[in-house]
Amino acid sequence: MKHPEFPLADDLIYLNHAAVAPWPKRTGLAVIEFAEQNMHYGSRFYLDWLNKEAELHTQLQALLNAPSADDIALVKNTSEALSFVAYGLDWQAGDNIVSSNEEFPSNRLPWESLATRGVEFRQADLNSSDSPEDALFALVDRRTRLLTISSIQFASGLRMDLEKIGSFCKQHDILFCIDAIQSLGAVQFDVQAYQADFVMADGHKWMFGPEGLGVFYATPAAREKLKLTQYGWHMMKDIHNYENKPWEVHPAARRFECGSPNTLGIHAFSASLSLLLETGMDVVESLVVENSSYLRDEIDKNEQLILLSGRQDRLKSGIVVFKHRLISSDALFKHLQKNGVICAVRGGGIRFSPHFYNTREEIAKAFEVLAAFNGVN
Ligand SMILES: Cc1ncc(COP(=O)(O)O)c(C=O)c1O
């Protein structure tokens, strides 16, 4: 039975939420309604749009368990927010940043680019210690200013113990930055329990949002440490006083939103989040984990398949990566794609990333499609 919010084409099995998710029905309808309004009324209802923008801040506050909606800024994407941090902090030559060697380029390039200022980017091999967290801690020294990590690794599904890392960072006076794009919308998240200074994520993966609109969380103390790198009218404290000279920067995180908001994206993203928040992130997480556990079991049962993502009994995510003993992942991917199983090639294998609404029947069907591979594409 299809979930009523996901009227996907009958010939598709969508297992690619770690890349780009489909929109829920309510999101599609919100976009249509917003388009109709724009066609017939232009910006006549702009005040309603501002209310929707405020609602989205509050929804994101709930999803992150942020102390205040003032700690939330809307950004273009994860990369933009990571760049705000990388280019906002006052680095000294000889400082270092600790991370892993499994990061998506968004959480590597901004830090590597600081080499020109004499800042070192250290990448831990997460398998080199008793735990992935210990592997990170082993690279820390007294010049470590920031630790930055993906909450869940995109190519392996490894889920980090964020509470453990957060408390280590606090003890050692290190800023803690989390690329949360593979967690938010899939599993529960709590910036306060993790003692995070900065968290960022784009909306188009597990949160079911459109591409190009994301969230940037910074604590009041952490955002004061960031020199601003973009400027415009929307970041002023007295926002609608256009004659405002001299002007003051907005005390809230909206100082990172320099110009006109992405009102279309905001309407879509807010509709998507309403589905997750109505369902409850505890329910969503347990269904996501059930689906990925089922996937792992099916891979284990199949002698032709090798599970590449770890078993991770302690912390489970929605990402499972595997390969075939005989067939190349590229060939298998083409076959799956051609037969309507939407997935990705990552981490040296096929990545399946089902969400909460995917059914066991669909996942079982994906394995039937896989088994039907006959080498002809
Ligand atoms: C861990 C991680 N970070 C960031 C991104 C994407 O970054 P952005 O939102 O800047 O496009 C991805 C996309 O696959 C990702 O997996």
Side-chain angles (χ1 to χ4, degrees), residues 18-19 76-80 82 103-107 150-155 179-182 201-205 211 346 351:
K76 282 198 301 233
N77 45 46
T78 325
S79 306
E80 182 180 53
L82 284 160
E103 299 304 306
F104 193 76
S106 307
N107 193 27
S150 295
S151 48
I152 292 175
Q153 288 300 338
F154 79 102
D179 173 345
I181 198 169
Q182 297 294 359
D202 205 339
H204 62 268
K205 298 187 190 286
E211 277 193 304
R346 296 283 189 281
R351 182 181 72 183

Side-chain angles (χ1 to χ4, degrees), residues 43-210:
S43 67
R44 177 170 168 191
F45 300 106
Y46 204 87
L47 281 184
D48 292 344
W49 300 359
L50 291 182
N51 289 337
K52 188 55 81 181
E53 184 192 17
E55 185 184 339
L56 178 59
H57 276 92
T58 311
Q59 290 170 308
L60 288 164
Q61 176 194 358
L63 203 68
L64 281 99
N65 193 31
S68 161
D70 281 349
D71 302 334
I72 303 287
L74 301 177
V75 289
K76 282 198 301 233
N77 45 46
T78 325
S79 306
E80 182 180 53
L82 284 160
S83 298
F84 283 154
V85 180
Y87 279 83
L89 289 171
D90 178 24
W91 302 102
Q92 308 297 319
D95 286 345
N96 69 66
I97 298 158
V98 168
S99 188
S100 86
N101 65 2
E102 296 186 24
E103 299 304 306
F104 193 76
S106 307
N107 193 27
R108 174 166 54 81
L109 272 50
W111 315 112
E112 278 181 342
S113 74
L114 295 171
T116 50
R117 300 188 184 188
V119 178
E120 186 193 353
F121 183 53
R122 299 183 170 178
Q123 301 177 69
D125 172 354
L126 295 177
N127 299 309
S128 65
S129 224
D130 286 349
S131 74
E133 295 79 23
D134 287 331
L136 292 170
F137 303 158
L139 293 194
V140 166
D141 64 17
R142 56 179 192 82
R143 293 302 304 272
T144 305
R145 293 272 310 280
L146 179 127
L147 190 153
T148 182
I149 194 77
S150 295
S151 48
I152 292 175
Q153 288 300 338
F154 79 102
S156 68
L158 174 68
R159 182 169 167 188
M160 306 300 291
D161 184 340
L162 299 174
E163 273 192 60
K164 184 173 169 184
I165 302 175
S167 83
F168 176 93
C169 286
K170 277 293 145 308
Q171 263 172 34
H172 294 82
D173 199 21
I174 295 167
L175 291 165
F176 184 24
C177 177
I178 307 175
D179 173 345
I181 198 169
Q182 297 294 359
S183 289
L184 286 178
V187 296
Q188 296 176 88
F189 206 87
D190 186 340
V191 293
Q192 299 184 66
Y194 309 151
Q195 303 184 71
D197 295 291
F198 307 111
V199 177
M200 52 287 285
D202 205 339
H204 62 268
K205 298 187 190 286
W206 303 90
M207 290 189 276
F208 300 120

Side-chain angles (χ1 to χ4, degrees), residues 245-281:
K245 295 179 212 160
W247 61 280
E248 263 181 87
V249 71
H250 202 288
R254 75 174 298 158
R255 64 176 61 183
F256 301 107
E257 303 170 0
C258 64
S260 298
N262 172 0
T263 43
L264 172 59
I266 286 169
H267 279 75
F269 198 9
S270 174
S272 301
L273 290 185
S274 72
L275 173 64
L276 287 166
L277 294 169
E278 261 169 50
T279 309
M281 279 312 300

